[in-house]
Amino acid sequence: MVENQEKQDDRKGLDNETLRKISQRARSLIIKMVYSARSGHPGGSLSIIDILTELYFNEMNIDPTDQNLASRDRLVMSKGHASPALYSILALRGYFPQELLMDFRKINSKLEGHVHKGVPGVETSTGSLGQGLGIGVGMALASKIDNNPYRVFVILGDGEIEEGNIWESLMAGSKYRLNNLVAILDKNGVQLDGFTRDIMPMERLKDRIDSFGWATYEFNGHDFSEIRKAMDFARGIKDKPVFLIAKTVKGKGVSYMENNSKYHGSPPANEEEYEQALKEIDAA
Amino acid sequence: MRPSESLREVYGKKLLELGGLHNDIVVLDADLSSSTRTSDFGKKYPGRFFNMGISEQSMVTAAAGLALAGKKPFVSTFAVFLMRTYEQIRQSVCYNNIDVKFVVTHAGITVGEDGATHQIIEDVGIMSGLPNMRVIVPADSIETASVIDYLVKKTKTPYYVRLSREKFPVVNDDDYQFTEGKNTVLKDGTDLTIFCNGSMVGLSLQAAAQLKEQAIDAAVVNVSSIKPIDREGIIQYGKRTGHVVTAEEHSIYNGLGSRVAEVLSEEYPVPVVRVGMKDTFGKSGKSWELFDYFHMGVKDIVSAGIRSFREVNKYETIS
């Protein structure tokens, strides 16, 4: 297999304050989307949104005006229930008008409840957990076959990695030395039924992934300087796939949603909660 | 009837031939490549062959990723083991409606001695239920080669092609070309139609010859395209012969028998007698012994034919 050519550092170089403002707007849109739909998954959307902001506004080689460019970087949102996060960031990045976000989960809308390929900028439908890493492996293999040096990012949830498919795909990524593949784990510690440590403990996670032959790195998934260091780490790895473990907070930015499994899959319960969420996000 | 080349042998050869002409073909297997015969492709095109290990979920999702990035993956393993990835096929392949071809081998009871754990008899039903999935059960080597050609040259969506391990007689003409959604009339008849596919086509032709001795003129129609199914072809022969038998190396639930009965009951109800596995697991034994054991042999098709033919058409007054 031909090794990919060296990738140039082609990042946009937006500063932390600019990125923070973008993710603030995205957080606000996430709340508006799930409240308008009266359903959806705010908790895991708010925990991943800062990382998505860095990826779509700095890190990834993408062009919203040329969405089928063969050399584009790909992102697979394996935790497909975080559709409010992905859809809002795609809208802010210019893939489609922001007005469409308010039709989320409604009949006649393209914005399906879980991430859907029919939405501009989305690479694959997801929603059943555990499948996106394998899809990322396939995309990364295609990049190698074609000697087309794009990179593939896969966003995983920490509940999601309880799926056996993930560990199978970790083996495959390692076997084929997919140095163009970057998995990012949104380790917010909460899944639908409660705390991940109670549902299915996964101690020494970094060691486990290391032992599968991936380069691992832990960082704070809400600090843009830290996020960028993680991306630097990924760019520096040349001989194996990369697994970034982001320590995050479920429901980050809305006090009553933080670390609360109730808001894994429920919108603000009433007008009061809705207003409070938007106020807290604006004040941050 | 002359013996057919083994279907998986033909599959392996077609992959080799077409792999040279179509650079987008990639092949994935799960530690059964020497049995499914994808191994020769792997030797010739190692950069486009991926042995994913005994990890079918990884194999199917990687195939989805390859297809999303513009490749044309052929995914092979034993039919029974692919079924554990039903949900990967559903979500990552069929919902995305992408160009992934599942060509599975060792389907049905003719796996023989390996026994019930390896004899899948419900896969056609499972795969046919998936939106965007198309399902083909070739009858011989000629049809298998033609189907693979068709998939490579004419299609861009998910397909499930079900092959058996055993060699079966050649039933198609040498110049036969597979047409999706079209039945093939292998023997015409006026009294009864035997709709069949896969390994049961050869047996059905033998059964038709025996029925002739009992003065029943049976047509034998190969329904290799289970989905889409040839509704017009089925209705035409339902009307022409008024009596129907179905024969499949599969459960009588959710396979050929169900599809034929469903079409006829909606459009032109006639007596249908189904030959196949009757909601039971298989068992170890030689294939010909198993056909008899499960009442799917030539004599069973004959007696099904007689039953159907002698059945008074209860619905005659409606038509």
Side-chain angles (χ1 to χ4, degrees):
Chain A
M1 209 174 280
V2 189
E3 289 301 317
N4 285 341
Q5 297 156 17
E6 191 76 12
K7 273 287 273 192
Q8 288 177 350
D9 194 333
D10 48 7
R11 282 177 280 190
K12 317 281 176 301
L14 294 190
D15 60 54
N16 290 358
E17 185 50 23
T18 307
L19 292 166
R20 198 192 62 76
K21 283 190 174 140
I22 294 167
S23 74
Q24 186 178 34
R25 287 174 64 196
R27 278 197 163 84
S28 197
L29 290 171
I30 288 167
I31 296 299
K32 288 175 181 164
M33 285 170 78
V34 297
Y35 194 65
S36 158
R38 294 294 192 278
S39 70
H41 298 77
S45 295
L46 293 168
S47 62
I48 193 61
I49 194 64
D50 296 319
I51 291 167
L52 284 184
T53 303
E54 171 72 19
L55 286 168
Y56 276 91
F57 282 86
N58 253 354
E59 182 67 21
M60 286 167 58
N61 174 31
I62 46 168
D63 181 358
T65 64
D66 192 357
Q67 296 174 17
N68 294 319
L69 201 66
S71 64
R72 73 189 183 280
D73 288 344
R74 273 83 167 161
L75 183 135
V76 177
M77 177 57 89
S78 191
K79 44 173 279 183
H81 54 277
S83 46
L86 183 61
Y87 292 165
S88 61
I89 214 74
L90 288 172
L92 288 169
R93 188 69 175 83
Y95 280 88
F96 56 86
Q98 277 179 53
E99 301 86 78
L100 297 182
L101 292 173
M102 295 312 128
D103 295 333
F104 176 54
R105 287 182 167 240
K106 289 174 187 157
I107 195 95
N108 299 330
S109 167
K110 276 189 176 177
L111 303 190
E112 271 279 314
H114 287 76
V115 168
H116 184 237
K117 188 165 157 274
V119 177
V122 171
E123 299 285 352
T124 177
S125 296
T126 48
S128 171
L129 296 174
Q131 303 188 18
L133 189 58
I135 292 173
V137 165
M139 290 175 169
L141 284 171
S143 145
K144 298 285 187 187
I145 294 168
D146 293 340
N147 196 26
N148 184 354
Y150 58 81
R151 301 167 78 206
V152 181
F153 296 87
V154 179
I155 308 293
L156 302 167
D158 55 352
E160 172 175 25
I161 64 171
E162 291 157 15
E163 288 282 4
N165 198 160
I166 293 294
W167 300 87
E168 289 186 4
S169 297
L170 284 172
M171 290 192 279
S174 169
K175 173 182 175 181
Y176 293 106
R177 295 195 300 124
L178 298 175
N179 58 356
N180 51 347
L181 178 60
V182 180
I184 304 174
L185 181 71
D186 179 12
K187 191 164 177 280
N188 60 34
V190 180
Q191 59 193 108
L192 190 146
D193 264 347
F195 291 108
T196 302
R197 63 173 182 268
D198 298 325
I199 309 292
M200 186 51 66
M202 231 179 265
E203 300 94 349
R204 296 168 48 225
L205 179 64
K206 186 174 186 299
D207 293 347
R208 294 190 197 200
I209 310 280
D210 271 333
S211 73
F212 271 68
W214 290 54
T216 57
Y217 182 91
E218 288 178 300
F219 68 105
N220 177 344
H222 298 303
D223 176 327
F224 283 105
S225 298
E226 287 250 329
I227 296 171
R228 198 147 325 109
K229 274 189 213 156
M231 299 304 156
D232 288 340
F233 171 83
R235 284 173 179 260
I237 301 295
K238 305 294 181 198
D239 58 342
K240 51 169 85 167
V242 173
F243 196 102
L244 304 174
I245 301 171
K247 184 75 198 81
T248 57
V249 176
K250 189 110 174 182
K252 173 74 175 176
V254 179
S255 57
Y256 63 86
M257 288 188 177
E258 291 192 359
N259 295 309
N260 186 349
S261 64
K262 182 185 162 194
Y263 293 97
H264 166 86
S266 303
N270 48 46
E271 197 68 18
E272 196 181 326
E273 278 195 12
Y274 174 64
E275 293 299 340
Q276 185 190 339
L278 291 182
K279 202 183 292 173
E280 287 183 15
I281 289 166
D282 283 348
Chain B
M1 287 181 278
R2 65 191 156 99
S4 161
E5 200 177 348
S6 114
L7 306 194
R8 56 200 164 113
E9 208 74 63
V10 170
Y11 169 51
K13 280 186 191 166
K14 286 306 286 187
L15 277 184
L16 266 189
E17 171 200 325
L18 295 165
L21 304 169
H22 301 265
N23 286 330
D24 53 347
I25 293 179
V26 295
V27 178
L28 299 93
D29 207 304
D31 193 43
L32 287 168
S33 65
S34 52
S35 294
T36 63
R37 298 293 193 264
T38 60
S39 53
D40 290 342
F41 181 96
K43 282 177 203 130
K44 189 150 185 203
Y45 306 106
R48 289 191 275 142
F49 176 76
F50 305 102
N51 195 328
M52 304 301 284
I54 309 171
S55 305
E56 292 80 9
Q57 303 178 76
S58 166
M59 172 171 71
V60 171
T61 48
L66 282 156
L68 285 162
K71 300 297 169 192
K72 196 175 189 79
F74 278 74
V75 176
S76 291
T77 179
F78 289 3
V80 69
F81 303 133
L82 187 72
M83 294 304 116
R84 73 193 292 145
T85 68
Y86 169 75
E87 214 227 349
Q88 278 77 12
I89 297 173
R90 179 182 192 276
Q91 312 282 0
S92 292
V93 177
C94 289
Y95 188 47
N96 277 327
N97 199 16
I98 48 177
D99 196 4
V100 179
K101 313 306 187 197
F102 300 97
V103 182
V104 296
T105 66
H106 296 67
I109 58 171
T110 48
V111 174
E113 291 84 344
D114 277 344
T117 55
H118 286 48
Q119 295 166 347
I120 190 144
I121 42 98
E122 67 276 21
D123 54 324
V124 168
I126 294 170
M127 290 295 120
S128 297
L130 286 166
N132 293 334
M133 180 65 94
R134 293 166 192 224
V135 178
I136 302 168
V137 185
D140 64 8
S141 50
I142 292 168
E143 184 159 44
T144 302
S146 180
V147 165
I148 302 301
D149 256 328
Y150 173 72
L151 295 192
V152 169
K153 293 172 187 166
K154 306 276 187 201
T155 70
K156 289 275 182 198
T157 56
Y159 279 77
Y160 180 77
V161 180
R162 184 192 208 231
L163 304 181
S164 310
R165 175 182 156 211
E166 286 272 327
K167 297 174 185 179
F168 299 113
V170 168
V171 294
N172 287 295
D173 297 334
D174 287 326
D175 61 352
Y176 166 81
Q177 293 218 329
F178 170 78
T179 308
E180 185 174 303
K182 270 282 168 235
N183 295 338
T184 313
V185 178
L186 293 170
K187 177 194 170 301
D188 217 336
T190 52
D191 298 334
L192 170 78
T193 305
I194 308 174
F195 292 108
C196 49
N197 64 19
S199 60
M200 301 299 275
V201 176
L203 300 184
S204 297
L205 285 166
Q206 290 178 50
Q210 291 188 18
L211 284 163
K212 188 87 184 167
E213 291 163 16
Q214 311 215 21
I216 299 174
D217 183 17
V220 176
V221 177
N222 177 16
V223 190
S224 47
S225 181
I226 283 276
K227 190 184 168 193
I229 202 152
D230 183 357
R231 294 182 72 89
E232 287 70 32
I234 291 169
I235 296 160
Q236 183 197 343
Y237 270 77
K239 285 182 177 167
R240 180 177 165 88
T241 63
H243 303 273
V244 164
V245 165
T246 64
E248 61 196 308
E249 191 190 337
H250 186 274
S251 173
I252 57 167
Y253 298 148
N254 306 325
L256 173 68
S258 290
R259 294 305 308 276
V260 168
E262 159 188 315
V263 170
L264 289 172
S265 67
E266 281 178 346
E267 306 276 353
Y268 189 82
V270 296
V272 175
V273 179
R274 293 177 294 167
V275 174
M277 293 292 280
K278 299 190 176 56
D279 198 25
T280 178
F281 284 106
K283 70 183 298 304
S284 286
K286 297 197 183 308
S287 1
W288 58 269
E289 292 173 329
L290 290 165
F291 278 131
D292 286 344
Y293 186 93
F294 289 107
H295 305 292
M296 294 160 61
V298 174
K299 68 174 167 40
D300 303 297
I301 302 172
V302 170
S303 54
I306 293 167
R307 251 183 74 200
S308 176
F309 183 65
R310 292 194 181 148
E311 184 86 7
V312 177
N313 191 339
K314 301 183 182 87
Y315 310 99
E316 256 168 4
T317 50
I318 298 172
S319 62

